[in-house]
Amino acid sequence: MSPVCVASEKLLVVTVATKETDGFKRFFRSAKHLNYTVKVLGEGEKWKSGDYMSAPGGGQKVRLLKAALEEMTDGDKIILFIDSYDVVFASGPKELLKKFQQARHKVVFSSESLIWPDRHLEDKHPHVVEGNRFLGSGGFIGYLPNIKEMVSDWTGEDNDSDQLFFTKIYIDPVKRKSTNITLDSKCRLFQNLHGALDEVVLKFEDGRVRARNVLYDTLPVVIHGNGPTKLQINYLGNYIPNTWTFEMGCTVRLMTTRSNETNSPRTSYFLSQQESEYPLVAIGIFIQQPTPFVGVFFERLLKLQYPKHRLKLFISNQEAHHEGQISSFLKDHGSLYQEVKLVGPEEEMDPPASRNLGVDMCRKDKHCDYFFLLDIDVVLENENTLQILIQQNLPIVAPMITRVGRLWSNFWGALSADGYYARSEDYVDIVQGRRVGVWNVPYVSSVFLVKASLLRAELSDYELFTSTLLDPDMAYCHNVRSKEVFMYVTNMQTFGRILSTENYQMSHLHNDLWQIFENPVDWQKRYIHENYTLIMKDKLIETPCPDVYWFPIFSDVACDHIVEEMEHFGRWSGGNTTDARIQGGYENVPTIDIHMNQINFEKEWQKFLLEYIAPITEKMYPGYYTKAQFELAFVVRYKPDEQPSLRPHHDASTFTINVALNQVGRDYQGGGCRFLRYDCSVDAPRKGWTLLHPGRLTHYHEGLPTTAGVRYIAVSFVDP
């Protein structure tokens, strides 16, 4: 005869939580979503029962449970007593009660494959036909009278072991029979993760996610990250019961307000607030090594959509090479911010010390609401990043950033046994955007937002980033995890990327010019004309003369940097026919110039030709494919009193590019290029635009006189 179904109203979930941790909030969200009624014991009490990792404990829970049960009288009530900080529900009361009744016992405990805390009791445990043999005290369900009977003998101390107490009841045949206890040996109701990680996988169902025990082919209702499996329950909690599904994506909003769906520079959380009411944010900027595009970093910082008077800056710079860029930024814009503190290289502060100091600036300021850590190698392109992160209302949250063309990111999905990087099953899908959401992760770095209230409470230790064994970010994350504070990463929006600093050289004036290999995206954004990508779409290529094409290629910054780099190098040729720099030592049509290989720029120049000139060449000269080989690439300087013009000539190339590096009318007068065969001239070259034309046979040409100022052009004879 099948048991009569028990109404869900008869079930009461009882848990102990002396404080509202991030784990408790997750537990409560899952309980609320699945319509469990929860009674919380011990709120506001001091926890005296240990941490379960170093020694047994938990007696305080039994004391609180015993006291609570004494006030309950409904004999039909079913009590589910579980931990909460490391527990999530995977299914609702109806399934739980059905499985409980199918167990045909008055009390059902969770089970484990490992015995703890007293291994000497192993032989006293009843044998089971199949499944786990040992009792787990982190979860049990039973009728009120039976549980009352079970805990009635408790007289222990708060720091005594609840697991040992319940184990001794279970292994006593008389007490086991009297209370009518059994174990959930096949994990139909409870899944303890310790000792069972290889048995548990995610099972995606329609609109929800379950944990499946593949060893027993069961779908447990309560998932418990007991012992050293906190990171695993965090991982599972990213999905169970419905935090993220394939059908709906991220379905549980962890923040208190709706996401902004508009293009407004103010996200929805801030729309109703005056700027004076915005949270005060301390931004910690850390420069530990030579880094490309530092000037661009500060340009982006200025564009951050957040009132400057609600921002404080802490800048730690340990690299003398960047002092000029920082002082220039602070001179022009420092007064916009509420406060600026600069720690320079002369203070010789190591990375942990500088991070600790920056965080403490916010911690000590009672008005500071958030600390935003931002390393100098972070390219933060989303101007709303700070607003978006604040709106999440999470303890610690990082915007996901990645390294171009690689699976590297600023978070780890898992940790190895020794606390270093391990790849979680979902890591690649998150990094590549196939799974989008807000993810509980064990490690974040480079850029993240921290609530200042945390810094004054759980994270009040000044030495957050200090360790004799770990790097600063690993030390920080280790300390955060030890305080049971959750860290999140969001890829709900696109935020930016991280630069490669591996081969950054400082031997030039404008070292960023050499970054076309290491940081090609940032190089393009900095140095390629903003309209280059529109050349074909919007038909920006002009044809001023037959088979001569004219189009934008370099930004103003690129032009300026190339000119300044050449003048900084300073070894201009004499404009003589004798030239030891070229093969054969003789130049038929000499110019006053500096070759790209003289400044060690030839490899970068060829990469530029391949990436940006070759595609245009192949479009404009159909059937011709270039490998962008060249023997001569150089910058020419024309001055009225030096070399104002260039006599008619053919170029030793299949095709030539001629890029104007400064502006006619402003920087010089005259100049231009005349193609004699067609009696056609380009008299007003536009800065950053290039002429592309055949070199041999058909396009005999001359450089028109520069009558005032100084004119610079970059020339390359391609495919000689």
Side-chain angles (χ1 to χ4, degrees):
M1 187 171 119
S2 61
V4 178
C5 291
V6 178
S8 298
E9 292 76 20
K10 289 291 184 180
L11 176 67
L12 177 65
V13 178
V14 180
T15 190
V16 173
T18 56
K19 60 181 180 179
E20 194 176 273
T21 65
D22 295 333
F24 176 80
K25 293 174 185 176
R26 174 184 60 198
F27 162 81
F28 203 80
R29 277 197 305 270
S30 71
K32 183 179 180 181
H33 172 72
L34 293 166
N35 297 314
Y36 283 97
T37 301
V38 179
K39 181 177 180 64
V40 181
L41 309 179
E43 292 177 276
E45 271 198 25
K46 183 178 180 181
W47 180 250
K48 305 173 184 177
S49 284
D51 62 4
Y52 296 98
M53 298 292 285
S54 56
Q60 187 174 357
K61 294 192 300 181
V62 186
R63 172 176 63 81
L64 290 168
L65 175 63
K66 179 181 177 181
L69 295 182
E70 287 173 353
E71 300 178 3
M72 301 181 192
T73 58
D74 184 354
D76 293 332
K77 185 173 287 295
I78 295 174
I79 302 296
L80 171 64
F81 187 65
I82 51 174
D83 290 347
S84 58
Y85 295 165
D86 50 9
V87 168
V88 292
F89 285 106
S91 189
K94 184 176 180 181
E95 180 179 336
L96 178 75
L97 290 169
K98 180 180 179 181
K99 289 181 175 180
F100 167 57
Q101 288 185 288
Q102 288 171 346
R104 299 184 182 278
H105 283 72
K106 298 296 185 180
V107 178
V108 180
F109 270 86
S110 68
S111 66
E112 299 188 38
S113 62
L114 305 173
I115 185 170
W116 189 82
D118 189 346
R119 292 167 51 193
H120 298 96
L121 299 177
E122 179 175 352
D123 291 341
K124 296 183 180 297
H125 281 72
H127 287 276
V128 296
V129 176
E130 184 183 9
N132 298 326
R133 183 181 169 195
F134 306 112
L135 175 144
S137 65
F140 57 85
I141 185 172
Y143 287 97
L144 175 61
N146 301 76
I147 294 180
K148 268 188 177 182
E149 175 189 346
M150 185 172 64
V151 300
S152 62
D153 292 337
W154 172 262
T155 57
E157 300 295 328
D158 280 357
N159 60 354
D160 287 344
S161 171
D162 63 331
Q163 177 106 347
L164 188 58
F165 171 72
F166 290 122
T167 295
K168 287 182 176 179
I169 295 175
Y170 175 65
I171 63 176
D172 184 322
V174 175
K175 291 183 178 180
R176 184 171 69 247
K177 183 176 181 181
S178 172
T179 311
N180 196 6
I181 301 174
T182 190
L183 299 187
D184 178 33
S185 296
K186 294 185 181 180
C187 307
R188 300 182 73 243
L189 290 89
F190 304 97
Q191 178 66 66
N192 290 315
L193 294 179
H194 187 34
L197 292 177
D198 293 338
E199 301 170 13
V200 180
V201 299
L202 289 170
K203 182 178 187 292
F204 292 90
E205 299 179 344
D206 291 340
R208 69 172 182 170
V209 186
R210 300 292 298 266
R212 176 175 173 240
N213 186 303
V214 295
L215 183 60
Y216 306 118
D217 195 21
T218 54
L219 298 173
V221 177
V222 178
I223 316 300
H224 182 199
N226 58 321
T229 62
K230 306 307 179 206
L231 299 186
Q232 286 75 17
I233 190 64
N234 289 350
Y235 169 76
L236 295 174
N238 282 329
Y239 297 91
I240 299 169
N242 73 324
T243 309
W244 190 95
T245 66
F246 279 108
E247 293 82 6
M248 299 295 294
C250 186
T251 61
V252 176
R253 299 297 186 201
L254 299 173
M255 68 289 282
T256 57
T257 58
R258 292 184 299 107
S259 293
N260 180 44
E261 303 295 341
T262 71
N263 292 321
S264 168
R266 297 175 69 184
T267 57
S268 57
Y269 173 79
F270 294 93
L271 288 175
S272 61
Q273 291 186 309
Q274 299 296 319
E275 287 192 349
S276 60
E277 299 172 339
Y278 278 40
L280 180 62
V281 182
I283 301 180
I285 298 167
F286 299 93
I287 309 169
Q288 302 295 342
Q289 60 186 346
T291 304
F293 304 108
V294 167
V296 183
F297 173 94
F298 284 108
E299 290 173 13
R300 289 198 176 96
L301 184 67
L302 276 173
K303 294 177 181 177
L304 205 59
Q305 292 297 317
Y306 207 85
K308 303 291 185 293
H309 66 276
R310 299 302 294 163
L311 296 176
K312 292 187 173 186
L313 298 185
F314 173 87
I315 303 175
S316 173
N317 173 38
Q318 300 309 308
E319 180 49 60
H321 174 73
H322 294 308
E323 285 189 289
Q325 293 158 308
I326 296 168
S327 61
S328 176
F329 167 76
L330 293 180
K331 178 183 177 182
D332 294 339
H333 309 291
S335 61
L336 299 174
Y337 297 90
Q338 187 178 120
E339 182 183 335
V340 177
K341 179 176 176 59
L342 174 63
V343 177
E346 69 281 356
E347 301 199 28
E348 298 182 350
M349 189 173 291
D350 64 20
S354 63
R355 277 163 148 70
N356 288 332
L357 183 62
V359 166
D360 202 50
M361 183 180 87
C362 176
R363 182 188 287 120
K364 288 180 175 177
D365 180 356
K366 65 180 181 180
H367 301 295
C368 184
D369 297 299
Y370 291 93
F371 181 77
F372 186 47
L373 184 144
L374 185 58
D375 283 340
I376 196 69
D377 55 358
V378 171
V379 179
L380 209 56
E381 290 196 305
N382 190 325
E383 297 176 2
N384 290 319
T385 296
L386 198 48
Q387 291 190 36
I388 292 168
L389 297 183
I390 291 172
Q391 187 170 315
Q392 300 296 311
N393 193 30
L394 292 170
I396 299 172
V397 59
M400 189 189 78
I401 55 172
T402 59
R403 185 163 288 166
V404 175
R406 295 171 60 181
L407 288 174
W408 191 98
S409 74
N410 65 323
F411 78 95
W412 296 350
L415 296 181
S416 64
D418 54 0
Y420 288 84
Y421 170 81
R423 180 173 291 181
S424 61
E425 184 180 327
D426 56 2
Y427 177 82
V428 173
D429 282 346
I430 293 172
V431 169
Q432 295 184 341
R434 290 192 291 271
R435 298 187 188 185
V436 174
V438 182
W439 311 94
N440 185 334
V441 295
Y443 173 91
V444 295
S445 66
S446 301
V447 51
F448 53 82
L449 185 76
V450 187
K451 282 187 174 181
S453 57
L454 271 180
L455 301 176
R456 302 183 191 108
E458 290 91 338
L459 303 182
S460 59
D461 180 9
Y462 181 85
E463 303 286 345
L464 274 179
F465 291 88
T466 304
S467 170
T468 56
L469 300 174
L470 304 173
D471 71 35
D473 290 328
M474 290 181 66
Y476 167 79
C477 292
H478 171 80
N479 289 326
V480 169
R481 295 192 303 269
S482 70
K483 298 295 184 180
E484 299 180 356
V485 174
F486 288 172
M487 293 172 279
Y488 296 88
V489 66
T490 173
N491 64 342
M492 296 285 284
Q493 288 88 6
T494 300
F495 294 100
R497 59 192 171 275
I498 193 161
L499 296 170
S500 169
T501 60
E502 294 165 7
N503 296 306
Y504 190 59
Q505 304 296 320
M506 297 187 296
S507 55
H508 306 283
L509 178 65
H510 294 295
N511 298 287
D512 295 348
L513 278 169
W514 277 258
Q515 286 293 300
I516 190 170
F517 290 103
E518 290 295 326
N519 293 290
V521 172
D522 295 270
W523 193 92
Q524 175 174 326
K525 287 179 177 290
R526 186 64 163 165
Y527 292 129
I528 295 300
H529 197 286
E530 62 181 356
N531 291 330
Y532 173 81
T533 56
L534 304 176
I535 285 176
M536 295 301 178
K537 178 184 174 184
D538 294 349
K539 300 180 179 178
L540 294 183
I541 298 181
E542 299 181 16
T543 311
C545 301
D547 283 328
V548 175
Y549 301 103
W550 197 19
F551 55 89
I553 190 69
F554 278 147
S555 67
D556 280 1
V557 172
C559 295
D560 294 344
H561 282 192
I562 292 171
V563 169
E564 290 166 10
E565 194 68 44
M566 293 301 183
E567 288 292 0
H568 178 72
F569 180 73
R571 300 177 194 172
W572 296 93
S573 66
N576 302 315
T577 54
T578 301
D579 193 340
R581 300 172 301 169
I582 64 176
Q583 188 174 1
Y586 179 80
E587 171 57 69
N588 187 41
V589 187
T591 54
I592 292 177
D593 56 46
I594 295 174
H595 290 188
M596 297 298 183
N597 60 10
Q598 289 180 263
I599 61 168
N600 298 315
F601 197 62
E602 66 274 21
K603 291 180 180 178
E604 289 75 12
W605 188 258
Q606 187 187 25
K607 178 70 171 176
F608 156 71
L609 294 175
L610 277 171
E611 293 292 328
Y612 301 102
I613 297 298
I616 306 299
T617 305
E618 291 165 9
K619 287 283 187 182
M620 305 319 295
Y621 302 118
Y624 179 74
Y625 302 97
T626 177
K627 293 183 179 179
Q629 301 295 324
F630 65 88
E631 291 182 2
L632 289 179
F634 48 93
V635 170
V636 179
R637 183 173 72 184
Y638 290 114
K639 295 170 67 173
D641 58 351
E642 190 176 66
Q643 180 183 11
S645 61
L646 191 62
R647 65 181 177 82
H649 62 282
H650 284 294
D651 292 335
S653 68
T654 301
F655 68 91
T656 296
I657 63 165
N658 176 338
V659 188
L661 296 179
N662 56 348
Q663 186 62 51
V664 66
R666 184 189 66 192
D667 302 317
Y668 65 90
Q669 301 293 330
C673 182
R674 177 171 176 260
F675 296 92
L676 280 71
R677 180 174 181 176
Y678 307 105
D679 192 21
C680 178
S681 298
V682 181
D683 295 321
R686 301 166 190 159
K687 183 178 181 179
W689 283 54
T690 186
L691 291 172
L692 171 68
H693 61 82
R696 295 187 183 89
L697 193 62
T698 58
H699 282 64
Y700 192 57
H701 60 284
E702 63 180 333
L704 299 174
T706 297
T707 57
V710 184
R711 178 188 177 211
Y712 298 92
I713 60 173
V715 178
S716 194
F717 298 161
V718 186
D719 296 344

